[in-house]
């Protein structure tokens, strides 16, 4: 069972625990803009939707905090492109 996405400010990343493994998205905050340069899932979780669940949580946090998101990493950029319901959060 997975837990909600959590912010780990000490590591500047959002994390999702999935059965003891961590999926994460590194970030950098600049004012009200959240830059996401890297998303990583352990090899055994790739293709399971874990990174997508992480991104869903990241976008929910951004929305709740009034942030805009700049997905730099190709995975994050492609994920946001496929999920139009989050396009209003995109920054430059």
């Amino acid at each position: 069972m997975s837990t909600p996405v959590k912010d780990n400010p000490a590591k500047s990343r959002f994390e999702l625990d999935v059965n003891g493994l961590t999926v994460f998205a590194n970030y950098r905050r600049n004012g009200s803009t959240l830059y996401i340069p890297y998303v990583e899932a352990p090899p055994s979780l790739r293709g399971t939707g874990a990174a997508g669940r992480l991104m869903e949580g990241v976008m929910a946090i951004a929305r709740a905090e009034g942030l805009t998101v700049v997905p730099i990493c190709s995975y994050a950029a492609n994920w946001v492109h496929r999920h139009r319901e989050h396009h209003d959060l995109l920054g430059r």
Side-chain angles (χ1 to χ4, degrees):
M1 172 84 39
S2 63
T3 57
V5 172
K6 295 181 182 176
D7 186 359
N8 183 340
K11 291 187 175 182
S12 295
R13 69 186 200 178
F14 293 102
E15 301 174 339
L16 175 64
D17 178 69
V18 179
N19 299 323
L21 299 173
T22 303
V23 183
F24 65 90
N26 290 341
Y27 67 78
R28 180 174 50 88
R29 290 180 190 246
N30 184 7
S32 63
T33 303
L34 182 67
Y35 295 89
I36 303 175
Y38 190 70
V39 175
E40 172 78 24
S44 63
L45 292 178
R46 293 178 188 162
T48 67
R53 291 191 303 276
L54 170 74
M55 286 300 300
E56 195 67 52
V58 168
M59 299 306 273
I61 290 168
R63 189 174 301 284
E65 294 183 12
L67 303 173
T68 57
V69 177
V70 177
I72 298 168
C73 149
S74 62
Y75 175 82
N78 287 327
W79 186 92
V80 172
H81 178 74
R82 291 190 317 268
H83 292 85
R84 293 183 180 265
E85 66 272 23
H86 300 298
H87 284 188
D88 61 311
L89 297 175
L90 290 175
R92 295 187 187 266

